[in-house]
Amino acid sequence: MSAKKASTAAAAPAFITPDALLAHWQGHRGLTRRVIDAFPDDQLYTFSLGGLRTFGEMANELLAIASPMVQGLVTGDWEEYSPQGVDSKQALLELWDESTGEIADFWSQLPADGFAKTVTAFGQFTGPVHWQILYAIDNEIHHRGQGYVYLRALGIAPPAFYER
Amino acid sequence: MSAKKASTAAAAPAFITPDALLAHWQGHRGLTRRVIDAFPDDQLYTFSLGGLRTFGEMANELLAIASPMVQGLVTGDWEEYSPQGVDSKQALLELWDESTGEIADFWSQLPADGFAKTVTAFGQFTGPVHWQILYAIDNEIHHRGQGYVYLRALGIAPPAFYER
């Protein structure tokens, strides 16, 4: 068996590499930041539809998942899930930017061969590392989509979904 | 250099494998199907908020992207993007299930080493294959999040986001 054949057999095929997935996530985070910023200060933590939370409260949830998730995956130390009581656009955007930097820092410490490993996040959610991270991203997209409806209902054109 | 070292050098690290990504997508498709099904027949193509499209019309868009996308990636033949004029829940659910089967069939024909290759989808969107597929999934999550707001505004509890 040649080295090339051994290589094909040994390595799991990649749908996407860790670096490309981080870039994909950061693109989403940039879009979510623009959606937060598109809300008027006095509507971000007050306006909602259908009895759902305000978009500000949803963003507080996203903050409590994203960076703590990647930090927990690197260190194995998990804090309990606990959103902070942020209630202003300025404070939210500052924490958002801080989180984005933390995610990049911790991401570089994730072992490249560890994404299929099963772990328990926040002491309660068990699944492969890639599943944990996709959950954080998918949950961000899900709530941001709800933010788009809020913005439209407020008469505000949201940023383009396809621009990252 | 040993075969093992050659292997490590040759293979791109995987955040997630193609098989696991398909399973992830199919989990999302199952959830989206339950969201479609949660709408009353007479609201799916009539109810909307903020001047956005109905959830039925959004689902027609998703149908026109998902299976045609994977088919185009396999064959290199791209039809123009053209949503069908579906306007009933029963017809939508039938096409949804048909699409889910097509996606699985075409997925098995995608070359395992081709996900980083740059292609142009639908004659107009250029990027790596993994980017094209993630766009289809992310767009589904985005619009489904909007469907959650519609359901809540209609007084209907949507299916749990974390159940796939």
Side-chain angles (χ1 to χ4, degrees), chain B residues 99-122:
Chain B
S99 270
T100 299
E102 288 170 5
I103 290 168
D105 290 344
F106 286 118
W107 192 273
S108 64
Q109 301 172 56
L110 285 168
D113 60 354
F115 290 99
K117 192 181 148 196
T118 295
V119 297
T120 298
F122 299 106

PDB file of all heavy atoms in Angstrom, chain B residues 99-122:
ATOM      1  N   SER B  99     -38.000  15.896  -2.089  1.00  0.00           N
ATOM      2  CA  SER B  99     -36.711  16.590  -2.057  1.00  0.00           C
ATOM      3  C   SER B  99     -35.732  15.932  -1.098  1.00  0.00           C
ATOM      4  O   SER B  99     -34.542  15.823  -1.381  1.00  0.00           O
ATOM      5  CB  SER B  99     -36.892  18.017  -1.539  1.00  0.00           C
ATOM      6  OG  SER B  99     -37.137  18.904  -2.550  1.00  0.00           O
ATOM      7  N   THR B 100     -36.247  15.554   0.059  1.00  0.00           N
ATOM      8  CA  THR B 100     -35.375  14.953   1.076  1.00  0.00           C
ATOM      9  C   THR B 100     -34.738  13.679   0.530  1.00  0.00           C
ATOM     10  O   THR B 100     -33.543  13.436   0.731  1.00  0.00           O
ATOM     11  CB  THR B 100     -36.182  14.667   2.363  1.00  0.00           C
ATOM     12  OG1 THR B 100     -36.687  15.910   2.860  1.00  0.00           O
ATOM     13  CG2 THR B 100     -35.321  14.024   3.435  1.00  0.00           C
ATOM     14  N   GLY B 101     -35.536  12.889  -0.195  1.00  0.00           N
ATOM     15  CA  GLY B 101     -34.995  11.681  -0.825  1.00  0.00           C
ATOM     16  C   GLY B 101     -33.979  12.006  -1.912  1.00  0.00           C
ATOM     17  O   GLY B 101     -32.926  11.358  -1.997  1.00  0.00           O
ATOM     18  N   GLU B 102     -34.281  13.001  -2.725  1.00  0.00           N
ATOM     19  CA  GLU B 102     -33.356  13.394  -3.796  1.00  0.00           C
ATOM     20  C   GLU B 102     -32.019  13.864  -3.239  1.00  0.00           C
ATOM     21  O   GLU B 102     -30.954  13.546  -3.770  1.00  0.00           O
ATOM     22  CB  GLU B 102     -33.969  14.535  -4.622  1.00  0.00           C
ATOM     23  CG  GLU B 102     -35.128  14.104  -5.524  1.00  0.00           C
ATOM     24  CD  GLU B 102     -35.868  15.301  -6.127  1.00  0.00           C
ATOM     25  OE1 GLU B 102     -35.420  16.459  -5.924  1.00  0.00           O
ATOM     26  OE2 GLU B 102     -36.901  15.069  -6.782  1.00  0.00           O
ATOM     27  N   ILE B 103     -32.092  14.651  -2.152  1.00  0.00           N
ATOM     28  CA  ILE B 103     -30.851  15.158  -1.546  1.00  0.00           C
ATOM     29  C   ILE B 103     -29.956  13.991  -1.125  1.00  0.00           C
ATOM     30  O   ILE B 103     -28.755  13.990  -1.391  1.00  0.00           O
ATOM     31  CB  ILE B 103     -31.168  16.077  -0.346  1.00  0.00           C
ATOM     32  CG1 ILE B 103     -31.795  17.388  -0.849  1.00  0.00           C
ATOM     33  CG2 ILE B 103     -29.918  16.360   0.484  1.00  0.00           C
ATOM     34  CD1 ILE B 103     -32.416  18.239   0.247  1.00  0.00           C
ATOM     35  N   ALA B 104     -30.548  12.992  -0.479  1.00  0.00           N
ATOM     36  CA  ALA B 104     -29.762  11.833  -0.029  1.00  0.00           C
ATOM     37  C   ALA B 104     -29.154  11.094  -1.228  1.00  0.00           C
ATOM     38  O   ALA B 104     -27.994  10.679  -1.197  1.00  0.00           O
ATOM     39  CB  ALA B 104     -30.638  10.900   0.798  1.00  0.00           C
ATOM     40  N   ASP B 105     -29.947  10.932  -2.304  1.00  0.00           N
ATOM     41  CA  ASP B 105     -29.448  10.223  -3.485  1.00  0.00           C
ATOM     42  C   ASP B 105     -28.276  10.975  -4.121  1.00  0.00           C
ATOM     43  O   ASP B 105     -27.238  10.388  -4.427  1.00  0.00           O
ATOM     44  CB  ASP B 105     -30.557  10.073  -4.531  1.00  0.00           C
ATOM     45  CG  ASP B 105     -31.628   9.083  -4.086  1.00  0.00           C
ATOM     46  OD1 ASP B 105     -31.349   8.310  -3.139  1.00  0.00           O
ATOM     47  OD2 ASP B 105     -32.725   9.081  -4.679  1.00  0.00           O
ATOM     48  N   PHE B 106     -28.458  12.274  -4.342  1.00  0.00           N
ATOM     49  CA  PHE B 106     -27.391  13.053  -4.983  1.00  0.00           C
ATOM     50  C   PHE B 106     -26.181  13.173  -4.066  1.00  0.00           C
ATOM     51  O   PHE B 106     -25.046  13.172  -4.517  1.00  0.00           O
ATOM     52  CB  PHE B 106     -27.893  14.443  -5.386  1.00  0.00           C
ATOM     53  CG  PHE B 106     -28.789  14.420  -6.586  1.00  0.00           C
ATOM     54  CD1 PHE B 106     -30.102  14.849  -6.505  1.00  0.00           C
ATOM     55  CD2 PHE B 106     -28.318  13.960  -7.819  1.00  0.00           C
ATOM     56  CE1 PHE B 106     -30.942  14.824  -7.613  1.00  0.00           C
ATOM     57  CE2 PHE B 106     -29.145  13.928  -8.934  1.00  0.00           C
ATOM     58  CZ  PHE B 106     -30.452  14.361  -8.833  1.00  0.00           C
ATOM     59  N   TRP B 107     -26.428  13.277  -2.755  1.00  0.00           N
ATOM     60  CA  TRP B 107     -25.322  13.465  -1.806  1.00  0.00           C
ATOM     61  C   TRP B 107     -24.302  12.336  -1.939  1.00  0.00           C
ATOM     62  O   TRP B 107     -23.097  12.568  -1.891  1.00  0.00           O
ATOM     63  CB  TRP B 107     -25.859  13.515  -0.369  1.00  0.00           C
ATOM     64  CG  TRP B 107     -24.835  13.986   0.616  1.00  0.00           C
ATOM     65  CD1 TRP B 107     -23.909  13.246   1.287  1.00  0.00           C
ATOM     66  CD2 TRP B 107     -24.622  15.338   1.023  1.00  0.00           C
ATOM     67  NE1 TRP B 107     -23.143  14.036   2.089  1.00  0.00           N
ATOM     68  CE2 TRP B 107     -23.562  15.339   1.954  1.00  0.00           C
ATOM     69  CE3 TRP B 107     -25.234  16.560   0.699  1.00  0.00           C
ATOM     70  CZ2 TRP B 107     -23.091  16.511   2.559  1.00  0.00           C
ATOM     71  CZ3 TRP B 107     -24.773  17.727   1.307  1.00  0.00           C
ATOM     72  CH2 TRP B 107     -23.711  17.685   2.226  1.00  0.00           C
ATOM     73  N   SER B 108     -24.817  11.116  -2.121  1.00  0.00           N
ATOM     74  CA  SER B 108     -23.907   9.961  -2.199  1.00  0.00           C
ATOM     75  C   SER B 108     -23.035  10.021  -3.454  1.00  0.00           C
ATOM     76  O   SER B 108     -22.054   9.293  -3.562  1.00  0.00           O
ATOM     77  CB  SER B 108     -24.724   8.664  -2.173  1.00  0.00           C
ATOM     78  OG  SER B 108     -25.541   8.607  -3.332  1.00  0.00           O
ATOM     79  N   GLN B 109     -23.393  10.889  -4.395  1.00  0.00           N
ATOM     80  CA  GLN B 109     -22.597  11.014  -5.627  1.00  0.00           C
ATOM     81  C   GLN B 109     -21.630  12.195  -5.586  1.00  0.00           C
ATOM     82  O   GLN B 109     -20.889  12.430  -6.554  1.00  0.00           O
ATOM     83  CB  GLN B 109     -23.532  11.179  -6.840  1.00  0.00           C
ATOM     84  CG  GLN B 109     -24.504  10.006  -7.004  1.00  0.00           C
ATOM     85  CD  GLN B 109     -25.538  10.313  -8.084  1.00  0.00           C
ATOM     86  OE1 GLN B 109     -25.207  10.607  -9.228  1.00  0.00           O
ATOM     87  NE2 GLN B 109     -26.814  10.262  -7.714  1.00  0.00           N
ATOM     88  N   LEU B 110     -21.654  12.983  -4.500  1.00  0.00           N
ATOM     89  CA  LEU B 110     -20.709  14.103  -4.386  1.00  0.00           C
ATOM     90  C   LEU B 110     -19.313  13.541  -4.122  1.00  0.00           C
ATOM     91  O   LEU B 110     -19.150  12.704  -3.243  1.00  0.00           O
ATOM     92  CB  LEU B 110     -21.109  15.023  -3.224  1.00  0.00           C
ATOM     93  CG  LEU B 110     -22.309  15.950  -3.439  1.00  0.00           C
ATOM     94  CD1 LEU B 110     -22.744  16.564  -2.101  1.00  0.00           C
ATOM     95  CD2 LEU B 110     -21.969  17.061  -4.428  1.00  0.00           C
ATOM     96  N   PRO B 111     -18.296  13.982  -4.851  1.00  0.00           N
ATOM     97  CA  PRO B 111     -16.949  13.468  -4.583  1.00  0.00           C
ATOM     98  C   PRO B 111     -16.447  13.924  -3.214  1.00  0.00           C
ATOM     99  O   PRO B 111     -16.554  15.113  -2.879  1.00  0.00           O
ATOM    100  CB  PRO B 111     -16.098  14.064  -5.708  1.00  0.00           C
ATOM    101  CG  PRO B 111     -16.915  15.142  -6.323  1.00  0.00           C
ATOM    102  CD  PRO B 111     -18.345  14.935  -5.960  1.00  0.00           C
ATOM    103  N   ALA B 112     -15.939  12.970  -2.421  1.00  0.00           N
ATOM    104  CA  ALA B 112     -15.550  13.249  -1.026  1.00  0.00           C
ATOM    105  C   ALA B 112     -14.456  14.298  -0.933  1.00  0.00           C
ATOM    106  O   ALA B 112     -14.332  14.985   0.082  1.00  0.00           O
ATOM    107  CB  ALA B 112     -15.098  11.962  -0.341  1.00  0.00           C
ATOM    108  N   ASP B 113     -13.662  14.452  -1.990  1.00  0.00           N
ATOM    109  CA  ASP B 113     -12.552  15.417  -1.907  1.00  0.00           C
ATOM    110  C   ASP B 113     -12.886  16.717  -2.648  1.00  0.00           C
ATOM    111  O   ASP B 113     -12.004  17.521  -2.930  1.00  0.00           O
ATOM    112  CB  ASP B 113     -11.270  14.801  -2.463  1.00  0.00           C
ATOM    113  CG  ASP B 113     -11.431  14.401  -3.931  1.00  0.00           C
ATOM    114  OD1 ASP B 113     -12.575  14.496  -4.462  1.00  0.00           O
ATOM    115  OD2 ASP B 113     -10.429  14.003  -4.536  1.00  0.00           O
ATOM    116  N   GLY B 114     -14.155  16.949  -2.951  1.00  0.00           N
ATOM    117  CA  GLY B 114     -14.511  18.097  -3.785  1.00  0.00           C
ATOM    118  C   GLY B 114     -15.187  19.254  -3.061  1.00  0.00           C
ATOM    119  O   GLY B 114     -15.610  20.217  -3.702  1.00  0.00           O
ATOM    120  N   PHE B 115     -15.270  19.199  -1.725  1.00  0.00           N
ATOM    121  CA  PHE B 115     -16.074  20.199  -1.006  1.00  0.00           C
ATOM    122  C   PHE B 115     -15.400  21.575  -0.907  1.00  0.00           C
ATOM    123  O   PHE B 115     -16.069  22.561  -0.598  1.00  0.00           O
ATOM    124  CB  PHE B 115     -16.462  19.681   0.376  1.00  0.00           C
ATOM    125  CG  PHE B 115     -17.456  18.556   0.328  1.00  0.00           C
ATOM    126  CD1 PHE B 115     -17.053  17.228   0.440  1.00  0.00           C
ATOM    127  CD2 PHE B 115     -18.805  18.815   0.126  1.00  0.00           C
ATOM    128  CE1 PHE B 115     -17.971  16.192   0.377  1.00  0.00           C
ATOM    129  CE2 PHE B 115     -19.735  17.789   0.055  1.00  0.00           C
ATOM    130  CZ  PHE B 115     -19.315  16.465   0.175  1.00  0.00           C
ATOM    131  N   ALA B 116     -14.092  21.629  -1.146  1.00  0.00           N
ATOM    132  CA  ALA B 116     -13.407  22.926  -1.087  1.00  0.00           C
ATOM    133  C   ALA B 116     -13.286  23.571  -2.472  1.00  0.00           C
ATOM    134  O   ALA B 116     -12.818  24.703  -2.603  1.00  0.00           O
ATOM    135  CB  ALA B 116     -12.012  22.749  -0.479  1.00  0.00           C
ATOM    136  N   LYS B 117     -13.729  22.847  -3.487  1.00  0.00           N
ATOM    137  CA  LYS B 117     -13.619  23.334  -4.872  1.00  0.00           C
ATOM    138  C   LYS B 117     -14.591  24.501  -5.098  1.00  0.00           C
ATOM    139  O   LYS B 117     -15.735  24.468  -4.638  1.00  0.00           O
ATOM    140  CB  LYS B 117     -13.990  22.160  -5.799  1.00  0.00           C
ATOM    141  CG  LYS B 117     -13.671  22.350  -7.251  1.00  0.00           C
ATOM    142  CD  LYS B 117     -14.116  21.112  -8.044  1.00  0.00           C
ATOM    143  CE  LYS B 117     -14.561  21.511  -9.444  1.00  0.00           C
ATOM    144  NZ  LYS B 117     -15.346  20.454 -10.100  1.00  0.00           N
ATOM    145  N   THR B 118     -14.145  25.521  -5.799  1.00  0.00           N
ATOM    146  CA  THR B 118     -15.015  26.670  -6.075  1.00  0.00           C
ATOM    147  C   THR B 118     -15.875  26.419  -7.307  1.00  0.00           C
ATOM    148  O   THR B 118     -15.367  25.995  -8.348  1.00  0.00           O
ATOM    149  CB  THR B 118     -14.163  27.941  -6.280  1.00  0.00           C
ATOM    150  OG1 THR B 118     -13.518  28.241  -5.046  1.00  0.00           O
ATOM    151  CG2 THR B 118     -15.032  29.130  -6.692  1.00  0.00           C
ATOM    152  N   VAL B 119     -17.163  26.640  -7.167  1.00  0.00           N
ATOM    153  CA  VAL B 119     -18.100  26.455  -8.280  1.00  0.00           C
ATOM    154  C   VAL B 119     -19.078  27.636  -8.308  1.00  0.00           C
ATOM    155  O   VAL B 119     -19.166  28.402  -7.352  1.00  0.00           O
ATOM    156  CB  VAL B 119     -18.914  25.139  -8.142  1.00  0.00           C
ATOM    157  CG1 VAL B 119     -18.005  23.919  -8.196  1.00  0.00           C
ATOM    158  CG2 VAL B 119     -19.726  25.140  -6.853  1.00  0.00           C
ATOM    159  N   THR B 120     -19.804  27.753  -9.416  1.00  0.00           N
ATOM    160  CA  THR B 120     -20.854  28.771  -9.522  1.00  0.00           C
ATOM    161  C   THR B 120     -22.203  28.075  -9.560  1.00  0.00           C
ATOM    162  O   THR B 120     -22.464  27.267 -10.446  1.00  0.00           O
ATOM    163  CB  THR B 120     -20.648  29.629 -10.785  1.00  0.00           C
ATOM    164  OG1 THR B 120     -19.396  30.307 -10.683  1.00  0.00           O
ATOM    165  CG2 THR B 120     -21.769  30.673 -10.926  1.00  0.00           C
ATOM    166  N   ALA B 121     -23.033  28.356  -8.558  1.00  0.00           N
ATOM    167  CA  ALA B 121     -24.341  27.700  -8.444  1.00  0.00           C
ATOM    168  C   ALA B 121     -25.408  28.553  -9.112  1.00  0.00           C
ATOM    169  O   ALA B 121     -25.366  29.788  -9.032  1.00  0.00           O
ATOM    170  CB  ALA B 121     -24.692  27.477  -6.971  1.00  0.00           C
ATOM    171  N   PHE B 122     -26.363  27.891  -9.759  1.00  0.00           N
ATOM    172  CA  PHE B 122     -27.491  28.566 -10.391  1.00  0.00           C
ATOM    173  C   PHE B 122     -27.040  29.687 -11.336  1.00  0.00           C
ATOM    174  O   PHE B 122     -27.735  30.697 -11.500  1.00  0.00           O
ATOM    175  CB  PHE B 122     -28.459  29.117  -9.334  1.00  0.00           C
ATOM    176  CG  PHE B 122     -29.047  28.056  -8.446  1.00  0.00           C
ATOM    177  CD1 PHE B 122     -28.635  27.900  -7.133  1.00  0.00           C
ATOM    178  CD2 PHE B 122     -30.014  27.172  -8.939  1.00  0.00           C
ATOM    179  CE1 PHE B 122     -29.171  26.903  -6.320  1.00  0.00           C
ATOM    180  CE2 PHE B 122     -30.560  26.183  -8.124  1.00  0.00           C
ATOM    181  CZ  PHE B 122     -30.129  26.051  -6.816  1.00  0.00           C
TER     182      PHE B 122
END
